[in-house]
Amino acid sequence: MAHHHDEEFRLHTPEFNHLHNKLDRRNFLTKTSLGLGSLAVGSLLTGVSGFFDAPKKIVQESAPNLEEEILKALPHIAPKAKRVVYLFMSGGPSQFETFDYKPKLISLAGQNLPDSVRKGQRLTGMSANQSALPMVPSAFKFNQHGQSQTWISELLPHTAQVVDELCIIKSIHSEAINHDPAITFFQTGNQLPGRPSIGSWVSYGLGSDNQNLPTFIVLVSKNGQKDQPLYARLWGNGFLPSKHQGVQFRSGKDPVLFLNDPEGYDGKDRKEMLDYLSKLNKLQNDTYADPEVEARIAQYEMAYRMQTSVPEVMSTADEPDEVFDLYGADSRDAGTYAANCLLARKLLEKDVKFVQLYHQGWDQHGGLPQGIAQQCKSTDQATAALIKDLKRRGMLEDTLVIWGGEFGRTVYSQGKLSANDYGRDHHPRCFTMWMAGAGVKAGLSYGETDDFSYNIVKDPVHVHDFQATLMHLMGVDHERLTYKFQGRRFRLTDVHGKVVKDILA
């Protein structure tokens, strides 16, 4: 038997783009003479215009104050970003070999990390028993680039070309020191599984601008080194209705699992089946008002539309050679990081609101020089190409691009330190991310770390601050976008977080 839920829900329509409305479900059904099923619930809850396509007289008679209530719920803040692409570098890229230049370490190479710097901070079990913590400078050179004269590693020559578009934040910090809780914390606002992901919160709060594709789409590189596992719950909906979960697009014959019709089953058969299934679902919804029934209706309807839209957006046949040249040779190989960056641009063009790329392989406890050089080679050109491609299409000004991992790396070497080789352990106390595009200051380096990149000395930015700032740029006050679950109102940032106003354009 379906369960009643006393959660909040929002109505989304193109006529009132980005509008929110908080209504108790029972009060809404009580005040209206029509059930949600008769108001085209599938369309209503997937962000299309089903409700306001209804005859005006019906709307006025059934909910005379509804339109006024929706109008009161304009976006909390004027949105700068219409869409987000989040390039998640899973494993924890080293800030020493990428963006946080520490030349003073050259003279300190091999010396033990001073207690005055460590300050008794927690170590992982992988290096806690080392007899010494020898400091090691980067094996790679840094140079200044762009009008901003920003220091960038030689490993990132393509990123260096777009450095004046970047807002580099060197003072990100987290409490989580191991991969799974750290990634979960970034994606959901809590180290424990079960909360909704960032993309799900965006989907729940802002709805969709495209009727034929999901609001939240996930791409995972097939060529990433599988050093740390990724779980589908990282893009899950948690306790939000299931229609807000991220949908993973894959390379190969079936980009979206279970979307294509079975062999010998044609579109007419499927349409007939869905029509009957919709009647059954709406009957159950009218009886129980279960939000999961509504979500399932919306998902079936979306899946039917996606059968046409997905093959179109996945095809790169119409892309000219110069686009593949821009993103790099790997962009012709579906499922690679470069191909996923190109696909992300196509999805953003279709007004998909939140696209997340995961690229694994940044967890270099040993053999770091060789490992990180390979990772940068696999990602650098395509990352910069995405920035360039969005800008030349006039999309960067309203698209937010994010790059970063779950934590940084230690100044000391994990394991044996040699003249040509070293590793670095996890370090959550300070690390680097960057943003570009909609609403952030370009050509800015924000926050400072000490000479050991072990502690923050200026302008710390916590994970919750990053999340609050992301939502702010999307037009959402992170304190006001909540969902009632098991008697408590939850939000992405829990009870923390402040917008980092100094980085806002």
Side-chain angles (χ1 to χ4, degrees):
M1 179 176 177
H3 299 284
H4 291 288
H5 294 270
D6 194 24
E7 92 290 359
E8 298 171 343
F9 73 107
R10 285 162 174 75
L11 307 177
H12 313 295
T13 69
E15 289 81 354
F16 300 98
N17 195 19
H18 302 317
L19 306 190
H20 308 294
N21 186 34
K22 298 181 180 181
L23 292 175
D24 177 86
R25 182 176 305 279
R26 292 192 182 91
N27 289 339
F28 176 80
L29 291 172
T30 300
K31 291 177 181 178
T32 63
S33 60
L34 300 174
L36 284 179
S38 60
L39 286 178
V41 63
S43 296
L44 177 62
L45 294 177
T46 48
V48 296
S49 57
F51 184 84
F52 286 96
D53 284 344
K56 190 175 183 67
K57 183 174 184 293
I58 295 178
V59 175
Q60 291 173 339
E61 290 179 354
S62 62
N65 298 319
L66 181 58
E67 194 167 332
E68 180 183 350
E69 290 299 315
I70 293 176
L71 283 169
K72 286 180 182 178
L74 288 164
H76 305 145
I77 311 109
K80 299 291 186 180
K82 292 182 179 179
R83 59 195 82 84
V84 174
V85 55
Y86 188 168
L87 310 173
F88 194 88
M89 304 294 111
S90 178
S94 170
Q95 69 274 26
F96 294 95
E97 280 70 32
T98 52
F99 297 102
D100 204 2
Y101 182 40
K102 298 299 176 186
K104 290 187 179 181
L105 288 177
I106 296 173
S107 63
L108 300 173
Q111 295 184 30
N112 203 41
L113 176 67
D115 290 339
S116 61
V117 175
R118 182 186 163 191
K119 300 178 180 179
Q121 292 177 36
R122 176 188 178 192
L123 305 180
T124 75
M126 292 169 284
S127 59
N129 295 323
Q130 287 186 201
S131 59
L133 301 173
M135 294 183 290
V136 55
S138 174
F140 303 97
K141 296 178 181 179
F142 277 67
N143 294 290
Q144 290 177 289
H145 295 273
Q147 293 183 354
S148 59
Q149 288 294 284
T150 302
W151 290 97
I152 300 289
S153 166
E154 64 179 325
L155 293 177
L156 300 169
H158 295 278
T159 300
Q161 295 174 13
V162 297
V163 69
D164 285 336
E165 302 293 344
L166 308 184
C167 177
I168 300 172
I169 307 171
K170 298 179 180 178
S171 53
I172 300 285
H173 64 102
S174 172
E175 290 81 36
I177 200 170
N178 291 311
H179 293 285
D180 185 58
I183 298 177
T184 304
F185 191 35
F186 252 102
Q187 299 309 304
T188 71
N190 196 282
Q191 295 186 41
L192 299 177
R195 301 285 182 91
S197 58
I198 298 177
S200 293
W201 278 111
V202 169
S203 173
Y204 167 65
L206 297 177
S208 176
D209 294 328
N210 186 320
Q211 300 180 22
N212 301 318
L213 288 168
T215 308
F216 176 23
I217 292 176
V218 175
L219 307 169
V220 179
S221 302
K222 72 176 185 181
N223 60 334
Q225 300 173 28
K226 305 298 189 275
D227 49 12
Q228 295 297 329
L230 293 173
Y231 304 99
R233 58 177 168 77
L234 295 173
W235 49 90
N237 57 293
F239 44 68
L240 294 177
S242 56
K243 67 177 180 176
H244 299 298
Q245 67 184 317
V247 177
Q248 184 178 351
F249 279 28
R250 298 164 167 82
S251 59
K253 183 180 177 181
D254 294 312
V256 180
L257 296 182
F258 313 115
L259 182 63
N260 291 335
D261 292 331
E263 187 175 346
Y265 195 71
D266 63 27
K268 182 179 178 181
D269 294 334
R270 182 174 180 82
K271 181 67 168 63
E272 185 177 9
M273 182 273 290
L274 287 175
D275 287 343
Y276 280 112
L277 184 60
S278 180
K279 291 178 181 179
L280 290 172
N281 282 331
K282 287 177 180 177
L283 178 63
Q284 176 143 336
N285 178 72
D286 291 344
T287 304
Y288 299 114
D290 186 343
E292 272 306 306
V293 176
E294 298 164 359
R296 192 59 57 88
I297 293 171
Q299 287 171 315
Y300 279 126
E301 292 178 351
M302 173 62 75
Y304 184 73
R305 296 192 296 270
M306 284 170 62
Q307 285 190 317
T308 300
S309 60
V310 168
E312 177 189 358
V313 78
M314 293 294 292
S315 174
T316 57
D318 293 337
E319 297 290 339
D321 288 342
E322 63 95 7
V323 169
F324 293 110
D325 293 341
L326 178 66
Y327 283 86
D330 282 350
S331 62
R332 296 181 183 274
D333 183 5
T336 63
Y337 177 81
N340 283 346
C341 282
L342 175 54
L343 177 56
R345 188 220 79 206
K346 289 171 61 67
L347 292 169
L348 295 169
E349 282 184 307
K350 296 290 186 181
D351 288 321
V352 173
K353 199 170 291 292
F354 202 99
V355 181
Q356 183 138 25
L357 277 68
Y358 285 90
H359 186 79
Q360 297 163 278
W362 295 92
D363 189 29
Q364 284 109 19
H365 291 273
L368 185 142
Q370 180 180 357
I372 200 166
Q374 180 57 50
Q375 285 295 97
C376 289
K377 184 178 180 181
S378 297
T379 60
D380 176 43
Q381 181 174 352
T383 299
L386 181 58
I387 298 284
K388 295 175 182 177
D389 206 5
L390 290 172
K391 185 175 182 178
R392 69 182 183 176
R393 294 169 188 270
M395 295 174 62
L396 188 60
E397 62 189 27
D398 56 10
T399 301
L400 179 64
V401 185
I402 303 168
W403 181 98
E406 67 267 35
F407 42 55
R409 314 303 295 196
T410 56
V411 64
Y412 61 80
S413 177
Q414 179 182 335
K416 185 177 180 180
L417 172 62
S418 69
N420 299 313
D421 198 20
Y422 56 90
R424 298 191 190 275
D425 203 356
H426 309 164
H427 188 62
R429 299 297 298 173
C430 55
F431 55 104
T432 301
M433 298 178 63
W434 58 253
M435 297 180 174
V440 296
K441 291 179 180 177
L444 175 69
S445 288
Y446 184 80
E448 295 179 16
T449 61
D450 60 19
D451 289 334
F452 310 89
S453 196
Y454 209 84
N455 299 290
I456 296 169
V457 297
K458 183 181 179 182
D459 298 325
V461 178
H462 188 264
V463 173
H464 285 313
D465 301 333
F466 156 74
Q467 293 163 339
T469 305
L470 187 162
M471 299 302 282
H472 177 90
L473 290 167
M474 296 292 288
V476 175
D477 181 341
H478 70 106
E479 294 183 354
R480 293 169 62 187
L481 181 61
T482 63
Y483 189 91
K484 190 174 182 181
F485 177 67
Q486 294 185 341
R488 178 191 161 185
R489 296 190 185 280
F490 288 86
R491 69 184 204 224
L492 171 63
T493 52
D494 197 35
V495 295
H496 309 280
K498 63 182 185 301
V499 176
V500 186
K501 295 183 179 179
D502 289 342
I503 72 170
L504 301 181

